Amino acid sequence: NSKLRHVEKDVLIPQIMRERAKELCSDKVQAFTKCCQETGLLMVVKCRQENAALKDCLVGYYSDPSFYEECKTEYLKQREEYRATGIKKKRQKLTSNV
């Protein structure tokens, strides 16, 4: 059954999208984080470029219909597995080689 409830469409799938987009834009996340750590309170002014690059990357994924469908499919697999086993599986985080 692939029918989605309101909370699944508006909360759970976008949550997967945010997590995956952060993983896919990890280089920009790291650049922005590093800039913020180095500049402290002046980050609002000094990190505009990094913030804009990060925002462009994330919005690019959020607005991509094929990315939504990919995340929806992932969610449906997780839901199906949970319904079959009763065990909630945590998403694996990609580890960076830093």
Side-chain angles (χ1 to χ4, degrees):
N1 183 9
S2 62
K3 188 163 173 100
L4 294 171
R5 294 175 297 151
H6 170 70
V7 71
E8 292 171 318
K9 280 189 249 181
D10 296 341
V11 177
L12 298 175
I13 294 173
Q15 182 179 16
I16 292 172
M17 290 176 72
R18 279 190 301 277
E19 291 171 7
R20 290 204 49 217
K22 281 182 189 175
E23 291 169 2
L24 294 168
C25 297
S26 65
D27 56 332
K28 291 169 181 55
V29 171
Q30 289 175 346
F32 181 66
T33 302
K34 183 180 177 190
C35 179
C36 289
Q37 289 172 343
E38 290 173 354
T39 58
L41 293 175
L42 297 174
M43 70 182 171
V44 175
V45 177
K46 298 219 176 193
C47 299
R48 283 185 184 157
Q49 273 186 319
E50 290 84 351
N51 187 26
L54 174 59
K55 186 177 177 185
D56 290 343
C57 183
L58 293 174
V59 168
Y61 283 111
Y62 296 157
S63 60
D64 182 5
S66 64
F67 185 68
Y68 176 84
E69 290 301 319
E70 202 176 297
C71 293
K72 177 180 163 185
T73 302
E74 181 181 331
Y75 172 77
L76 289 173
K77 284 180 188 174
Q78 289 175 0
R79 185 178 78 174
E80 183 180 333
E81 188 175 317
Y82 173 76
R83 287 180 177 176
T85 64
I87 300 170
K88 188 171 183 172
K89 186 176 181 182
K90 295 273 184 186
R91 270 193 91 242
Q92 281 186 349
K93 299 261 182 190
L94 293 178
T95 56
S96 60
N97 296 332
V98 177

